[in-house]
Amino acid sequence: MGEIAAIILAAGKGTRMKSDLVKVMHPLEGRPMVSWTVEAARGAGVSKIVLVVGHHAERVREHFAASPEIACAVQEEQLGTGHAVACALPALAGFTGRVLILCGDVPLVSSATLQAMLAQHKESRAAVTVLTTHMADPHGYGRIVKDAAGHVRRIVEEKDATEAERLVTEINSGIYCVESDFLAAAIPNIGNDNAQKEFYLTDIIGQAVELGLSCGSFPVADPDEVMGINDRVQLAKASSIVRRRVNEELMLDGVTLVDPSNTYIEQGVRIGRDTIVHPNVHIRGATVIGEGCVIDPSVLIQGCRIGDRAQIKAGSVLCDSVIRNDVAIGPMAHLRPGSELCDHVKIGNFVETKKAVIGEGSKASHLTYLGDATIGRNVNVGCGTITCNYDGVHKHQTVIEDDVFVGSDVQLVAPVTIGRNSLIAAGTTVTKDVPPDSLAIARTPQVNKEGWKLRKAKG
Ligand code: UD1
Ligand code: CA
């Protein structure tokens, strides 16, 4: 298609968000709003992106620091969308081709729509093509004014519109495709003689018409795609639109969502067939879940890789961990980053793991903390076992070899190694390594004082 550049307008403060954070950095389903627009542009084949930033410019710049194809142009004062594009043009000096202009607060536009608009633009040899939609309530948007033949004549802002123009329901999405040479010529001619005393980008349409150039419109069927986000009510609406799309795709791919309107799965999460997800489950980041799993209510999973047939029971929290096949977790278990559970592991209620590798078939069924630990196969970790991994300065490792039985209420003071096939008696505080095939017991012998209660009662 030839080279395509994009300008993304994101300098506005977003006053109606009533926030200390600039609007375009507010998270939409886990990612800043503006990064949705950036992804849409990338997906449409854009090779260079100029972000126009103003308020909190540094935060936006930092977020995209690792992307060399994204340049930031600073617009010190927000004098209007036309002025914003003027600020971006120096960063595109020497570029010829088509320029997509997008808004950082219109995040739901799809790459497919942008590609279709670009194709029509090229086909029709227009100087400008504007992405539009029909809205039942066009209030607040610029209206598309067309001539009798259906050619776009100009775009008029609501505040500048006549009564008749306000009745138009085809609105300007704020997204355009423009030929770079025409854009460079038109931008300096924009004035600010309008109700808001702003430099309106939309004026370039009128200029093209005067020059006898063709202006097209590309209407998108689903108005949701071009909804602008100005306040937190619209932000919540956009979130629910994204969630609905993600959930429907998963269900059509064979995942059961018991109550999709109360299931919160971020875009990019992958889930296998015949997995069942109960209500109020949150699945985030680059999580991958296998087939035939059951995720109980009120579970939070972030950045995990989970195999097939996992049972994740109610109230569990799993972060940045690897879980292999046929594992049972919870209820109320907490897997912190770096946990790795091999096949057939069981982690029960009120068990916390962190940087812990737990071998095949091993179990920690109740009330346990396993941190900085390497645990072999077929190990039984009794109720109330604690790895004492931190001495206040350093973290230390605990190693438990295969087939060890750890009784209840055991403290393992790290660094320490328990040799294979040993038994640690209940109530033991282990401070020395235990050789294989041994019994380790460390507790004060019990004393029974018979009749003591009766003597005490007599005084
Ligand atoms: C704009 C369009 C309107 C369209 C609507 C769609 C103009 C004159 N009007 O109106 O026709 O229906 O978008 O949502 O273009 N921005 C800057 N610098 C500025 C001003 C704005 O970067 O000086 C950015 C904003 O951060 C925002 C975008 O441009 O991302 C749109 O600006 P906004 O003020 O929201 O324009 P609207 O009044 O909504
Ligand atoms: Ca807006």
Side-chain angles (χ1 to χ4, degrees):
M1 271 224 206
E3 272 235 90
I4 309 164
I7 297 173
I8 299 179
L9 308 185
K13 178 161 184 274
T15 313
R16 281 171 283 172
M17 295 298 282
K18 306 212 171 132
S19 175
D20 292 335
L21 180 65
V22 65
K23 176 166 73 175
V24 294
M25 289 305 286
H26 273 260
L28 169 61
E29 289 298 286
R31 287 188 285 136
M33 210 187 279
V34 63
S35 67
W36 288 76
T37 312
V38 166
E39 283 313 313
R42 280 187 177 135
V46 163
S47 52
K48 180 170 179 55
I49 297 174
V50 182
L51 274 176
V52 183
V53 293
H55 290 276
H56 293 184
E58 277 319 303
R59 287 190 86 135
V60 184
R61 201 192 290 272
E62 244 167 61
H63 184 80
F64 293 105
S67 308
E69 79 284 14
I70 299 180
C72 287
V74 178
Q75 184 192 25
E76 298 287 355
E77 250 188 305
Q78 280 70 59
L79 303 178
T81 47
H83 179 252
V85 171
C87 295
L89 285 182
L92 289 180
F95 172 86
T96 50
R98 272 148 295 146
V99 180
L100 261 181
I101 301 175
L102 301 150
C103 291
D105 63 351
V106 182
L108 299 188
V109 67
S110 70
S111 298
T113 294
L114 296 178
Q115 272 167 343
M117 175 175 75
L118 283 161
Q120 179 194 299
H121 177 84
K122 194 177 179 198
E123 177 94 342
S124 66
R125 298 174 170 274
V128 189
T129 303
V130 51
L131 188 69
T132 70
T133 194
H134 289 273
M135 279 198 180
D137 174 15
H139 179 78
Y141 288 93
R143 310 297 206 282
I144 306 293
V145 181
K146 288 180 169 172
D147 62 18
H151 299 299
V152 180
R153 300 298 296 175
R154 60 191 195 103
I155 297 175
V156 61
E157 294 306 293
E158 170 138 323
K159 287 183 177 143
D160 303 298
T162 63
E163 285 293 316
E165 286 167 339
R166 283 185 197 183
L167 296 177
V168 173
T169 57
E170 186 174 11
I171 63 97
N172 172 21
S173 70
I175 296 172
Y176 319 79
C177 178
V178 193
E179 291 300 314
S180 60
D181 47 357
F182 168 69
L183 185 67
I187 289 293
N189 298 332
I190 295 177
N192 65 349
D193 182 16
N194 53 53
Q196 304 187 85
K197 296 280 165 272
E198 283 185 5
F199 295 88
Y200 288 168
L201 175 60
T202 46
D203 281 6
I204 65 171
I205 309 280
Q207 288 190 44
V209 170
E210 269 174 36
L211 291 169
L213 300 171
S214 129
C215 286
S217 63
F218 183 84
V220 49
D222 180 4
D224 284 350
E225 265 201 54
V226 295
M227 81 175 275
I229 296 178
N230 297 311
D231 57 36
R232 297 187 203 230
V233 175
Q234 289 167 325
L235 178 62
K237 186 171 172 226
S239 290
S240 75
I241 291 167
V242 174
R243 279 200 302 273
R244 197 187 64 220
R245 281 187 196 162
V246 168
N247 288 348
E248 285 179 3
E249 205 170 303
L250 286 167
M251 290 187 284
L252 293 172
D253 280 347
V255 179
T256 293
L257 305 183
V258 173
D259 180 4
S261 59
N262 283 301
T263 305
Y264 307 85
I265 303 175
E266 284 181 2
Q267 203 172 47
V269 167
R270 288 191 293 151
I271 306 182
R273 287 161 70 118
D274 293 320
T275 285
I276 299 173
V277 182
H278 286 276
N280 194 27
V281 166
H282 298 248
I283 308 178
R284 301 177 181 159
T287 294
V288 179
I289 299 176
E291 300 186 356
C293 299
V294 178
I295 320 285
D296 273 1
S298 302
V299 164
L300 168 61
I301 302 175
Q302 162 93 48
C304 289
R305 234 168 61 223
I306 301 179
D308 297 334
R309 297 173 300 279
Q311 305 274 327
I312 317 287
K313 294 175 198 162
S316 296
V317 176
L318 284 54
C319 294
D320 302 317
S321 293
V322 175
I323 291 134
R324 307 217 182 270
N325 297 321
D326 302 290
V327 169
I329 296 170
M332 322 296 178
H334 188 185
L335 267 51
R336 290 169 52 208
S339 301
E340 183 179 341
L341 312 186
C342 298
D343 291 356
H344 297 284
V345 161
K346 182 181 175 214
I347 294 296
N349 42 205
F350 306 106
V351 174
E352 174 181 338
T353 64
K354 185 216 73 172
K355 286 191 187 158
V357 179
I358 302 181
E360 196 177 327
S362 291
K363 294 182 171 62
S365 298
H366 348 254
L367 298 160
T368 285
Y369 173 60
L370 300 171
D372 302 301
T374 304
I375 297 172
R377 298 152 153 254
N378 301 318
V379 169
N380 183 85
V381 178
C383 176
T385 295
I386 298 167
T387 52
C388 309
N389 59 329
Y390 185 48
D391 59 14
V393 183
H394 297 109
K395 301 280 169 70
H396 299 283
Q397 294 289 321
T398 298
V399 176
I400 304 178
E401 294 178 355
D402 296 349
D403 303 309
V404 166
F405 185 97
V406 180
S408 294
D409 188 29
V410 164
Q411 296 86 51
L412 301 157
V413 182
V416 71
T417 296
I418 315 293
R420 65 174 306 281
N421 195 39
S422 285
L423 190 152
I424 313 297
T428 294
T429 300
V430 181
T431 52
K432 298 188 296 211
D433 288 354
V434 177
D437 305 306
S438 313
L439 166 69
I441 179 163
R443 57 195 185 207
T444 317
Q446 181 172 330
V447 178
N448 290 340
K449 301 194 173 177
E450 284 183 44
W452 184 89
K453 272 298 288 286
L454 301 174
R455 289 198 296 279
K456 179 142 177 119
K458 277 188 201 144

